[in-house]
Amino acid sequence: MVHSISLAILLAGLTSAGWAADAPDAENVVVLANSLDGESIALARYYAEKRGIPEANLIAVPLPAESTISWTQFVAELFNPLRERLMEEGWIGADDPGGFDQAGRGLIELKGHRIAYLVTCRGVPLRIDNDPELLKAEGADLPPRYLTNRAAVDSELSLLTRSSPPTTGVITNPLYRQKEPTASRMASVIRVARLDGPDPASVRRMIDSALAGEAHGLIGRTYIDMGGPHRQGDLWMASIADRIDALGFDLDRETTKEVMGLTDRMDAACLYFGWHNSRVTGPFLNRGFSFAPGAVAVHIYSFSAGSLRHGWVSSLVRSGVAVTVGNVYEPYLQLTHNLGLFFEKLESGGTAGEAAWYALPGQSWQAILVGDPLYRPFLRRFDDQWAKRDAATVGAQYLVLRQANLLEKDGNRREADRLLDGAASERGTLGLALAYRRVLEREDSPDDSRIEDLVVSASGELRPDEWGLGLEILDWLNRNGRRLEAITVGENLRRATVDQDGWQQVLDERLGPVGVE
C-alpha cells in the first residue's frame, strides 16, 4: 500500500526543509528499546523519566538478542519496522511510493522530520556483519579498505530519512564541521546516540552522571594520554590539552609512547582523552575506580566499542563516565570522531549529541556515541561554580585548585599561593595539599607543619581514584628526604591496595618489602 504522511500531522517545528538545527529538547527525543528484553524497556523508561521525555516517545520493537546481526535481520526486523512506526506517528514526514532498494529497505520521498535524537537502549543490536552478496550486488568501486558493508547499527539508523543510500563504504555526514547546519542538512540526518554498557546498573549510573554534571558543572582534574602511532591523533590531543589548560583545570599530559600505568595519578578525573592501546590499561583497572560526576572520557582504539560488555568503552562506562565515543569495527583514524572538534563543541556549550555529530566525518560506518545526547558538560561555567561554591560541593577542593591555576596564569602568583595556603590543610583536600608543595618548594625553609598536613591527609582513607595521588605524595616525600613520612604514607597505601594486583610490587620497589628498611 502506498501512503503519505501529511505535513499537517507533524507537530510545530517541522518544515519541508526539516528540523531546526538547535532544538535538542526532550520533547523531540525518541527512545528505542527491544520489546523482547525487559531490561531494555526498563532502561528506556528510566532515561525518559529522568529527562522528562514523554512516554509516547518510547518505541519498543522485537529484536534479536545478539549484539551482531545480519543485513537481512537489520532491514527486516529493525530498519523497516522502525521507519514505518516513525512515519505513522508523525516523526518523519514522507511519501511512500512503494518498492524496495537492493538491501530491502523501503523507498521514501522525504518531506522532513522532527526527531532531535534517536536514542537506542541496551538490548538493541550493536553491529551489522558484512554481507558479501549485498556487496557484490552494489558493485561499488572503492579502495579495498572501504569495500565492506559491516557497520554500526546506530550509524545505519542515522540514514532513516534517506532513500536507498549505499550500504558499502562511507557516506559523508552533512553535519560534519557545520557549526550552524542548515535545516536541509538537519533534515537529511537522524542523530543517534546509545545508552548501553556492561550491565544495566552502569547504564543507569551513566544517565545519572550526566544529570549531576549539568547540575554542578565539571569539577576535578584532567588527563591527556598522547604519544600514539599517528601524528593526526596527537594533534587532536594537543588541541584538547591547550583548551583544557586555558580553562584552568589541573592537567596531566602523558606525551611519551608509554601508556598510562595502573599506579598513575587519576584522582577526580572529569576529562580524559587517550589513545594508542588496544588493551584496557591504567588506573581504570583499579578495583572501585570511579570518574568524577559528569565526566567525559574517550580512548581511541579501532574496536573500542566492538563489544559493550568488555573493552574500552565498556570499561569507561563501568567506571562512571557520563559520555564517550567509540568504534564497533575498524574505522581508520580519519573516519572516527575528530576529538579536537568534539571537545571544541562541548566546551562552547554544545550537547554531547551536537558535539558527536559535528565531529564525525561519515555515516554508514563504525563510530557511535554512548551517553545522553542532551548532556551539556559545560552548561555551568566556572565563574558560576566559583561564585556559588561551598564546602559541601563534591570535589570543592578542585574548584579552589582551578581558581589558583587561573590566578597564576594571570600573573597573580601571590594571591594564588594565599588561596592554596588557606585551603590546603582542610580535611579531605589531598589534591590541594599536594598542590601546595609548589608553594613549599619556592620557600627557603619549608614549613614542617604543612608537610605534616600533607602526610596526615595521605594517611587517611583513600578512594581508589586517589591511590595514584597517594603514590605521588610518597614519591615527593622521598625526594625531599622525608623517609619516615614516606613510609607512613606507603603503609597506608599497602592497606588500601592489599588485594589489587600490581600495587604491592610497586610499593616494594619504592619502600622495600614489608618490614624491611
Side-chain angles (χ1 to χ4, degrees):
M1 180 179 69
V2 178
H3 68 264
S4 173
I5 299 299
S6 168
L7 289 181
I9 294 177
L10 305 179
L11 300 182
L14 177 67
T15 70
S16 59
W19 179 253
D22 58 349
D25 55 297
E27 292 289 326
N28 293 88
V29 173
V30 176
V31 186
L32 176 65
N34 184 346
S35 65
L36 303 180
D37 184 337
E39 191 55 61
S40 182
I41 295 173
L43 283 172
R45 287 176 175 160
Y46 184 83
Y47 174 59
E49 179 183 350
K50 290 288 186 176
R51 271 297 183 188
I53 297 169
E55 188 172 351
N57 294 20
L58 274 60
I59 294 178
V61 178
L63 296 168
E66 297 80 14
S67 63
T68 304
I69 57 177
S70 68
W71 265 99
T72 299
Q73 289 175 299
F74 171 71
V75 172
E77 300 181 50
L78 178 51
F79 189 93
N80 282 346
L82 175 60
R83 186 160 68 180
E84 182 73 15
R85 179 84 173 267
L86 293 172
M87 291 171 65
E88 288 175 354
E89 296 183 6
W91 289 104
I92 294 175
D95 287 335
D96 177 1
F100 301 90
D101 66 14
Q102 288 181 321
R105 296 168 295 191
L107 302 177
I108 62 169
E109 295 174 3
L110 179 70
K111 294 180 177 179
H113 74 85
R114 62 183 180 91
I115 301 172
Y117 295 103
L118 172 64
V119 180
T120 58
C121 292
R122 191 178 192 272
V124 174
L126 176 68
R127 312 191 303 176
I128 306 171
D129 204 359
N130 189 60
D131 184 334
E133 293 304 313
L134 183 57
L135 196 66
K136 186 187 302 181
E138 285 192 342
D141 183 17
L142 295 169
R145 64 169 55 184
Y146 303 125
L147 279 174
T148 181
N149 50 42
R150 64 184 184 181
V153 164
D154 295 3
S155 193
E156 294 297 337
L157 290 178
S158 74
L159 301 171
L160 281 163
T161 55
R162 303 280 284 272
S163 189
S164 195
T167 65
T168 306
V170 188
I171 296 174
T172 299
N173 171 22
L175 306 183
Y176 181 54
R177 290 183 176 271
Q178 298 297 307
K179 292 185 178 181
E180 297 181 3
T182 63
S184 61
R185 286 180 180 270
M186 292 297 296
S188 64
V189 179
I190 300 290
R191 294 180 294 185
V192 184
R194 176 170 287 259
L195 296 172
D196 206 338
D199 54 77
S202 294
V203 182
R204 285 179 170 81
R205 183 183 180 192
M206 179 169 57
I207 295 166
D208 294 341
S209 181
L211 294 172
E214 283 191 354
H216 304 290
L218 292 179
I219 303 175
R221 297 188 81 244
T222 59
Y223 304 84
I224 304 288
D225 190 4
M226 301 169 64
H230 303 292
R231 181 172 180 270
Q232 185 59 57
D234 277 342
L235 290 176
W236 294 349
M237 297 299 175
S239 71
I240 296 170
D242 289 344
R243 285 179 174 273
I244 289 174
D245 190 52
L247 293 170
F249 286 104
D250 232 30
L251 171 64
D252 280 357
R253 306 187 204 205
E254 165 56 56
T255 59
T256 71
K257 294 291 184 181
E258 296 297 321
V259 298
M260 293 190 72
L262 183 74
T263 61
D264 283 349
R265 181 180 179 182
M266 194 171 270
D267 51 301
C270 63
L271 293 169
Y272 164 79
F273 293 90
W275 76 308
H276 70 76
N277 199 20
S278 59
R279 292 183 301 105
V280 179
T281 59
F284 315 109
L285 296 178
N286 285 326
R287 168 185 43 81
F289 173 86
S290 181
F291 282 95
V296 177
V298 179
H299 189 95
I300 301 176
Y301 168 56
S302 298
F303 300 90
S304 57
S307 167
L308 295 183
R309 306 298 175 260
H310 55 80
W312 270 108
V313 168
S314 174
S315 177
L316 297 176
V317 172
R318 182 182 288 109
S319 298
V321 74
V323 67
T324 186
V325 295
N327 308 288
V328 302
Y329 292 110
E330 172 62 72
Y332 305 105
L333 185 63
Q334 69 273 21
L335 290 175
T336 189
H337 289 91
N338 179 320
L339 294 189
L341 295 178
F342 179 67
F343 188 76
E344 171 196 318
K345 191 68 171 180
L346 290 179
E347 197 275 325
S348 69
T351 66
E354 288 170 333
W357 285 91
Y358 172 68
L360 185 62
Q363 298 169 266
S364 189
W365 203 235
Q366 320 306 344
I368 62 172
L369 165 65
V370 179
D372 178 1
L374 300 179
Y375 174 42
R376 295 179 187 268
F378 290 92
L379 179 63
R380 286 196 65 185
R381 313 307 288 188
F382 179 68
D383 287 349
D384 181 58
Q385 290 177 294
W386 182 247
K388 298 177 181 178
R389 74 193 184 283
D390 59 58
T393 302
V394 175
Q397 61 169 316
Y398 294 100
L399 292 178
V400 175
L401 184 53
R402 188 172 171 187
Q403 176 69 357
N405 290 339
L406 290 171
L407 287 170
E408 190 156 343
K409 285 179 182 297
D410 288 341
N412 299 321
R413 177 191 286 182
R414 186 167 296 178
E415 189 176 346
D417 287 355
R418 281 199 297 267
L419 181 63
L420 290 174
D421 183 42
S425 61
E426 295 177 9
R427 291 191 63 184
T429 59
L430 186 58
L432 273 180
L434 182 58
Y436 190 66
R437 69 184 179 182
R438 67 191 184 202
V439 181
L440 297 175
E441 289 170 347
R442 289 198 288 263
E443 296 176 356
D444 292 332
S445 302
D447 185 344
D448 279 357
S449 66
R450 282 304 197 195
I451 295 177
E452 183 62 27
D453 289 338
L454 186 63
V455 175
V456 170
S457 295
S459 300
E461 184 175 351
L462 300 179
R463 302 187 311 265
D465 69 294
E466 292 179 319
W467 293 347
L469 171 56
L471 189 62
E472 194 166 316
I473 290 173
L474 184 157
D475 289 341
W476 184 82
L477 292 167
N478 263 335
R479 287 196 304 272
N480 285 273
R482 302 279 181 163
R483 176 66 174 166
L484 291 178
E485 291 94 334
I487 291 174
T488 298
V489 174
E491 291 307 315
N492 188 40
L493 278 170
R494 285 193 199 277
R495 290 189 295 272
T497 63
V498 66
D499 58 352
Q500 177 66 54
D501 291 342
W503 268 92
Q504 300 304 308
Q505 179 181 347
V506 169
L507 292 170
D508 284 347
E509 291 170 356
R510 298 292 207 280
L511 297 173
V514 177
V516 179
E517 267 294 321

